[in-house]
Structure formats: C-alpha cells, structure tokens
C-alpha cells in the first residue's frame, strides 16, 4: 500500500527516499511515539546531520513521510476509480480492501497517520484531507448513477470506513475475539462484502434509464 513502486529521480531524491523508507521501518518496529532522528539515521545508514540537512527537523521529516506514502496511495486508488467498466459494489469493495490490507500490513504507520486526530483532536492531518478527497471522488463518480445524493454517499462511506478502521487499529481483537484474521484474503473480502451488503439496500437503486 505505501512503499512499493515509489520512484524519485536524482541522487538527492534517492537519499531523501531512503530516509523516508527508514522512517517507516522505525515506526513499524518501534512505534510512532518512539521515533527519533537518531533511530532513523541508524536505520537509513546515514548520520543525523544528513537528516537535518535534507529535512530540517523531525517534524518536517514526518510530514514528508506522510505526504509520500499518501501520494503513492492516491495513485493506486486513482487506478481503481478510473475503471469505468467496474461495477459500483466491486469498485467500493476493491477500494476498501486496498485500505484495510495496507493498514494491516503497516499497522504502526496507519496509527501514526491518525496520531494527531486521536490524541490531540487535530484534524489538519494529511490523512484526514486525503480521506475527504477520496470520499468526495467516489461520491462524485457514483451519485449520478444512483438514487442517492452526494452527501448521503459521503456519509455512507464514512460509516463504512469506520468499520474498516476499527479492525485495522485493533487487529488482535478481531483475531483473538472473533477468530478473524483479516490478513487472509478470503476472510478480509468476506468481511468487506458483509459490510457492503448492509449498505446496498433499496436506497442504492439505479436511476431509471432515460
């Protein structure tokens, strides 16, 4: 979800990318609250001065990492959204499967993206803006075809996402409490299908052809 396929061109960009990927590794190994410039430097095989030179501060590095990971995710999601031949339910299923699979593979990174909203009620986080854009994009694509308003669709997708976010944040609760391992493709797809079945009721009737 977050790392594969990222490309940056010149030597400076390659070093910056190396540091960003090292930041993700440290977060996954130790947790976001344990992240330090020194631990990133060690993981990346560079000195602390290099990180300060390229990013200026830990805060700038973290924001660059958030931006990089979400830009890559945005490219992947756009590939899903631009498929005009895909059925609506399949499109939404693929979108949410992408989110939950990536979140479960990089659980600490996912928590890092929501750290400020959860702990400090700061909704200026990059992830929040990204989600709003994704929900709006899906709603615009869908609302003209079904008898449901754009606002209702956005609300519906926020409800669905809340059911996706919970197991991503607490995977062991699902694994131990419900015997569901959502890293298993079939289990995860069944979970998402059950969620979508709840929402694709009479409200989602297709508009009559004119």
């Amino acid at each position: 979800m977050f790392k594969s396929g990222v490309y940056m061109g010149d030597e400076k960009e390659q070093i910056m990318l190396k540091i960003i990927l090292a930041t993700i590794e440290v977060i996954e190994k130790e947790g976001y609250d344990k992240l330090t410039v020194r631990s990133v430097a060690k993981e990346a095989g560079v000195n602390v001065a290099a990180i300060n030179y390229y990013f200026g501060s830990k805060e700038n590095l973290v924001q660059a990492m958030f931006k990089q990971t979400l830009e890559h995710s945005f490219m992947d999601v756009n590939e899903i959204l631009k498929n005009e031949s895909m059925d609506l339910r399949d499109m939404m299923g693929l979108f949410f499967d992408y989110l939950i699979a990536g979140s479960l593979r990089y659980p600490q990174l996912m928590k890092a993206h929501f750290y400020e909203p959860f702990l400090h009620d700061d909704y200026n986080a990059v992830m929040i803006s990204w989600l709003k854009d994704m929900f709006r994009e899906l709603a615009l694509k869908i609302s003209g075809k079904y008898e449901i308003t754009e606002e209702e669709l956005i609300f519906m997708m926020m409800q669905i996402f809340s059911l996706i976010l919970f197991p991503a944040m607490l995977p062991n609760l699902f694994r131990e409490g419900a015997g569901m391992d959502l890293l298993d493709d079939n289990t995860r797809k069944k979970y998402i299908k059950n969620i979508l079945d709840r929402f694709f009721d009479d409200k989602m009737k297709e508009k009559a052809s004119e």
Side-chain angles (χ1 to χ4, degrees):
M1 175 181 181
F2 296 110
K3 295 196 295 183
S4 60
V6 177
Y7 173 78
M8 300 173 103
D10 61 24
E11 183 179 356
K12 175 184 175 181
E13 290 176 326
Q14 290 293 339
I15 294 171
M16 292 175 71
L17 176 59
K18 182 180 180 181
I19 293 169
I20 286 172
L21 295 181
T23 303
I24 295 171
E25 291 300 325
V26 172
I27 289 172
E28 283 302 317
K29 289 175 182 176
E30 303 177 18
Y32 180 65
D33 57 339
K34 302 284 178 56
L35 182 71
T36 65
V37 171
R38 191 172 297 279
S39 63
V40 172
K42 182 179 179 181
E43 182 71 31
V46 300
N47 56 40
V48 170
I51 295 178
N52 290 331
Y53 174 77
Y54 287 112
F55 295 96
S57 66
K58 173 186 167 182
E59 289 71 24
N60 289 343
L61 169 58
V62 168
Q63 289 307 308
M65 181 271 295
F66 284 157
K67 185 171 181 288
Q68 180 73 37
T69 55
L70 289 178
E71 280 181 354
H72 179 53
S73 296
F74 186 81
M75 288 189 292
D76 289 342
V77 170
N78 265 348
E79 287 299 310
I80 297 171
L81 296 182
K82 74 181 185 183
N83 189 337
E84 298 291 340
S85 63
M86 189 177 291
D87 174 79
L88 170 62
R89 188 187 295 236
D90 290 341
M91 180 184 293
M92 292 184 71
L94 194 58
F95 173 61
F96 287 111
D97 182 65
Y98 173 83
L99 288 180
I100 196 169
S103 300
L104 289 168
R105 291 189 181 104
Y106 299 98
Q108 296 302 325
L109 180 58
M110 184 67 167
K111 290 174 184 177
H113 273 288
F114 285 99
Y115 187 87
E116 291 302 325
F118 276 151
L119 266 67
H120 301 127
D121 289 328
D122 180 0
Y123 289 89
N124 295 313
V126 182
M127 172 64 92
I128 301 299
S129 297
W130 182 80
L131 283 172
K132 287 178 181 177
D133 288 344
M134 289 301 98
F135 292 153
R136 193 173 297 111
E137 185 82 15
L138 269 173
L140 284 171
K141 190 175 183 70
I142 294 166
S143 58
K145 188 179 179 183
Y146 290 83
E147 294 179 347
I148 185 169
T149 67
E150 184 182 329
E151 290 75 18
E152 288 172 321
L153 275 167
I154 291 173
F155 181 67
M156 181 186 83
M157 284 183 286
M158 289 179 72
Q159 288 178 299
I160 294 173
F161 183 72
S162 69
L163 295 171
I164 297 296
L165 182 63
F166 190 69
M169 293 295 187
L170 298 169
N172 286 341
L173 178 62
F174 274 67
R175 192 176 298 114
E176 296 170 9
M180 293 176 64
D181 181 4
L182 294 176
L183 276 172
D184 175 76
D185 287 347
N186 290 331
T187 303
R188 185 176 64 255
K189 290 180 190 303
K190 182 178 178 181
Y191 175 75
I192 293 170
K193 179 181 181 300
N194 287 341
I195 292 172
L196 292 176
D197 285 346
R198 292 188 189 182
F199 290 92
F200 277 77
D201 54 15
D202 292 339
K203 289 182 181 178
M204 295 299 289
K205 289 179 181 175
E206 287 196 44
K207 287 183 178 177
S209 5
E210 298 178 359

